[in-house]
Amino acid sequence: MLGFFAVYGNPITHSKSPFLHNYAFTKLGLSGYYSRILLDKGANLRQNFLSNGLSGANITLPFKEEAFNQCDEVRGVAQNIGACNTWVLEDKNHLVGYNTDAQGFYECIKEYKIKNALIIGAGGSAKAVAMILQSHNIPTTLINRSVQNLSFFAHKGFECYVSSEFKPTCSYDILINTTSAGLNDNLLPCDESQLKELCSCGKYAFDLIYGKCTPFLALAQSFHLSCSDGKEMLINQAALSFELFCKQKYNKYNLEIQRIASFMNEIL
Ligand code: NDP
């Protein structure tokens, strides 16, 4: 038995992770089961994980920082992000934290040969995107509607601006919307004329929001930028987590990320 797995969050009913992981278990003939757990307080995360006898988990909003703080060891880019979306239990009691959002994003754009990037937004997902771009030496600028969340990025050496004060002095190959503007409303993530100026000299537009054409992507399309929503990133982060869940016991299986991702893509 591979074990039991779950995704933690609040809210959590909307999460597609159980469908993706259970489908991949079935396709590979692995005896794993993945569910969702609604948690009131992040302080109980570790205790809940251990008392439920889980072998691994995904952690989503608003508990990714708690997941970072409560594991025994943090590996990879998660160390710089300060947030984990994946836990794997090793040797019965050693809880290891990872961040697969970051690599999940990078897998989507790695073929583009990006020279520089502009991130709109400064929340949790912006941290994952910014740190993976930095780890690949891609110069990255951030803009955000308010100043508070920018301090994390300023400390990490990024060029940062409050959106209303930002005057672009160069073009950006890729514009990345990491805000939730457009998720449940019809808003652009920053001023329309500013965005038009940025689109007029950009090549790619990427919105982390998935399953809809946001006002941001619609505007970018009207400037003929090559556009992607967040679906592939969602699948990639799930496939990367899945590989981490399975590889301790099942390295005899052919668990390449692209193969797992293509299974997951079949049902999303
Ligand atoms: P956070 O709550 O951590 O950050 C939200 C960010 O959006 C903040 O920078 C906030 O600005 C900004 N923002 C919110 N509303 C507006 C608005 N109306 N105009 C301009 N800026 C706004 O969220 P996350 O970073 O975790 O998630 C952001 C989005 O990314 C969500 O839609 C989520 O679904 C998506 N996502 C997709 C993933 C995928 O795999 N495809 C993975 C992770 C996230 P301020 O700092 O001023 O509050």
Side-chain angles (χ1 to χ4, degrees):
M1 175 73 183
L2 182 61
F4 292 103
F5 303 85
V7 57
Y8 285 94
N10 190 347
I12 200 60
T13 41
H14 66 287
S15 173
K16 303 205 185 306
S17 295
F19 300 113
L20 298 175
H21 287 268
N22 286 325
Y23 189 70
F25 285 139
T26 306
K27 289 290 275 191
L28 285 161
L30 298 178
S31 54
Y33 181 71
Y34 190 111
S35 64
R36 49 169 76 87
I37 298 177
L38 175 72
L39 209 60
D40 261 354
K41 293 193 192 116
N44 303 334
L45 186 59
R46 183 187 172 101
Q47 189 202 348
N48 189 294
F49 177 95
L50 294 173
S51 61
N52 274 310
L54 300 183
S55 301
N58 286 115
I59 302 97
T60 189
L61 285 176
F63 304 130
K64 292 184 188 181
E65 278 85 9
E66 290 281 7
F68 175 87
N69 291 327
Q70 291 179 33
C71 58
D72 298 309
E73 182 187 347
V74 176
R75 290 195 191 142
V77 69
Q79 292 170 355
N80 286 330
I81 298 168
C84 294
N85 74 327
T86 305
W87 273 359
V88 180
L89 191 64
E90 286 187 1
D91 305 325
K92 294 204 169 73
N93 60 6
H94 187 68
L95 200 44
V96 184
Y98 300 88
N99 188 304
T100 66
D101 289 330
Q103 187 61 28
F105 167 77
Y106 191 70
E107 292 290 321
C108 302
I109 60 132
K110 67 182 182 189
E111 307 298 338
Y112 292 178
K113 306 214 179 345
I114 303 288
K115 289 201 219 54
N116 64 358
L118 179 79
I119 296 176
I120 310 170
S125 59
K127 288 181 185 171
V129 170
M131 295 319 301
I132 198 78
L133 289 172
Q134 191 179 63
S135 76
H136 288 276
N137 299 316
I138 296 172
T140 300
T141 300
L142 281 104
I143 60 173
N144 194 43
R145 66 176 178 184
S146 64
V147 73
Q148 293 90 325
N149 283 334
L150 287 173
S151 58
F152 169 91
F153 300 91
H155 282 119
K156 298 280 185 188
F158 291 94
E159 216 178 299
C160 303
Y161 303 90
V162 173
S163 312
S164 58
E165 294 165 7
F166 177 60
K167 303 265 180 289
T169 54
C170 65
S171 60
Y172 296 93
D173 279 355
I174 185 166
L175 311 174
I176 307 159
N177 178 30
T178 71
T179 77
S180 36
L183 181 64
N184 298 315
D185 52 45
N186 255 341
L187 297 173
L188 287 166
C190 58
D191 178 69
E192 184 172 352
S193 57
Q194 189 176 45
L195 211 44
K196 283 181 172 168
E197 190 183 340
L198 290 162
C199 284
S200 67
C201 48
K203 292 181 190 154
Y204 302 101
F206 194 105
D207 201 321
L208 267 61
I209 294 170
Y210 51 86
K212 65 182 286 197
C213 179
T214 57
F216 168 75
L217 282 188
L219 185 73
Q221 270 167 9
S222 73
F223 280 82
H224 307 292
L225 271 66
S226 180
C227 292
S228 309
D229 77 354
K231 179 181 167 186
E232 194 187 341
M233 175 178 170
L234 177 79
I235 289 175
N236 287 341
Q237 64 76 28
L240 288 156
S241 295
F242 187 90
E243 191 209 22
L244 291 167
F245 294 154
C246 298
K247 82 172 171 196
Q248 279 190 95
K249 281 193 183 173
Y250 287 96
N251 46 16
K252 65 180 175 171
Y253 283 82
N254 185 7
L255 288 173
E256 303 122 7
I257 303 306
Q258 275 166 356
R259 183 156 171 255
I260 305 164
S262 73
F263 291 151
M264 292 178 168
N265 197 34
E266 286 173 17
I267 55 152
L268 200 65

